[in-house]
Amino acid sequence: MDPPRPATTASADDLLELFQAIRKELELREEAPSGAWVESSVAEARAGTKPAWYYPPSDDGGGISFYSRRGPKVWGHVHAGARPRAGERARRLSEAMLGALPPDVHWISVGFSGFDLREERALAHALAARPGAIAIERFQMERTVRREGPPTVVDPPSGLQLIPVRAATVEALGELDARGFGGSVDDVVMGGTVGEYTEIVQSLLDSRIGRFLDEASTLLYEPSPPRLAGGILVSEASPREAVILDLVVDPERRGHGYGRFLLRWGLRALHALGYTTATLWVTEANRPALRLYESEGFARTASTVLFHWTRPSGEPQPQTSR
Ligand SMILES: CC(C)(COP(=O)(O)OP(=O)(O)OC[C@H]1O[C@@H](n2cnc3c(N)ncnc32)[C@H](O)[C@@H]1OP(=O)(O)O)[C@@H](O)C(=O)NCCC(=O)NCCS
């Protein structure tokens, strides 16, 4: 198999087909970017401002790898059409992308789509043999909202108030996420600084991953001294399906039922709003969250694997496999 070609040499039609295939997959995962993402990605890949490598769709479904960069951090994606040798195409696409990273990049997270989960897992684990790299398993979970009437929700935990998400500043929400996810595998993948969490929250509030549902999102607020103790953020994937984007409890307030309260509150709101299904993504290593979701009736419906690499001190590039 030939190495993949730089997308600067691709036809607009080939890239359109490949980015549309990715968008379709991300839609199934309720992670599709909104707006003209496909069209702008095609233009950026052809111009070289979104570095990308590809096999044309006529080549057994083809494939594409690309990354976006913010400072020393890079978010990448590898997609291969699910036909024969998709795993091999995905491996070559990943190697092309990792091999071309500028030397000052010290952090990369890569998602995969299109090909078989077994091959995806094998590829992510093979790439993770590099020093500083890990493969992170993620599950999608789903729960019927309208099955047996609205979930019972008691009053907010004592001394706490429920406030709308937009009553807090986006920076306060970013700080809550940074405190809540600090030190976890999710934290490694999401970036880990208050600024990065603030940007993520802002993008959720701006409905960039589905229409943000203010009515099904809330915060737990401690009035004195003022502090956010937790929150749940929810968006719409379709008129029937909602996605829980963020559920977090301040580490100092864990184990007192706040997480369960917030989840039930969100589910009850979704029930009242007429949604039939709630979905979410959770990492395999996140035992507390998995147990909470399973005990509230969520079941696993899909899996994916993320590849992540953080430069170990003294290491030059992630393409060195050992
Ligand atoms: C997941 C999270 C929201 C739970 O919040 P919490 O307020 O501590 O949870 P609760 O006290 O309501 O506990 C509810 C259930 O969660 C599970 N759980 C909570 N902490 C747990 C732990 N340390 N180990 C195992 N299970 C745990 C249990 O099933 C528990 O039920 P039980 O008390 O009847 O055994 C909290 O740990 C958190 O904010 N984690 C970081 C952010 C995160 O990972 N969010 C989920 C992203 S998908």
Side-chain angles (χ1 to χ4, degrees), residues 10-20 42 46 57:
S11 75
D13 281 352
D14 277 354
L15 292 184
L16 200 61
E17 197 172 329
L18 291 166
F19 278 109
Q20 269 164 347
V42 170
R46 293 190 82 207

Side-chain angles (χ1 to χ4, degrees), residues 79-97:
H79 176 90
R83 305 258 185 83
R85 304 176 72 196
E88 178 60 14
R89 263 178 284 129
R91 187 185 67 75
R92 286 172 178 261
L93 287 160
S94 306
E95 301 285 358
M97 179 175 69

Side-chain angles (χ1 to χ4, degrees), residues 70-132:
R70 208 168 336 120
K73 296 190 176 180
V74 153
W75 282 264
H77 192 89
V78 177
H79 176 90
R83 305 258 185 83
R85 304 176 72 196
E88 178 60 14
R89 263 178 284 129
R91 187 185 67 75
R92 286 172 178 261
L93 287 160
S94 306
E95 301 285 358
M97 179 175 69
L98 295 176
L101 289 177
D104 56 333
V105 166
H106 68 59
W107 184 106
I108 177 162
S109 282
V110 182
F112 303 93
S113 63
F115 55 116
D116 180 75
L117 176 64
R118 247 179 335 106
E119 287 184 307
E120 180 180 317
R121 196 170 273 144
L123 173 60
H125 284 275
L127 294 172
R130 291 152 168 78

Side-chain angles (χ1 to χ4, degrees), residues 180-181 186 246-250 253-261 280-283 286-289 291-293 295:
F181 285 94
D186 299 86
D246 191 3
L247 171 69
V248 65
V249 169
D250 187 307
R253 299 292 182 267
R254 300 236 170 110
H256 296 292
Y258 294 7
R260 195 183 296 284
F261 169 83
L280 53 87
W281 281 92
V282 57
T283 53
N286 194 346
R287 295 286 146 189
R291 281 196 49 187
L292 169 60
Y293 298 141
S295 70

Side-chain angles (χ1 to χ4, degrees), residues 163-215:
I163 61 166
V165 169
R166 292 184 206 268
T169 63
V170 68
E171 289 77 16
L173 296 171
E175 273 168 28
L176 173 65
D177 270 349
R179 280 202 306 279
F181 285 94
S184 68
V185 174
D186 299 86
D187 190 51
V188 172
V189 178
M190 286 193 279
T193 66
V194 172
E196 272 151 340
Y197 282 106
T198 303
E199 274 187 41
I200 293 171
V201 172
Q202 187 68 64
S203 74
L204 304 182
L205 297 181
D206 290 347
S207 298
R208 273 185 254 153
I209 309 265
R211 184 170 70 85
F212 187 74
L213 289 176
D214 285 283
E215 317 90 299

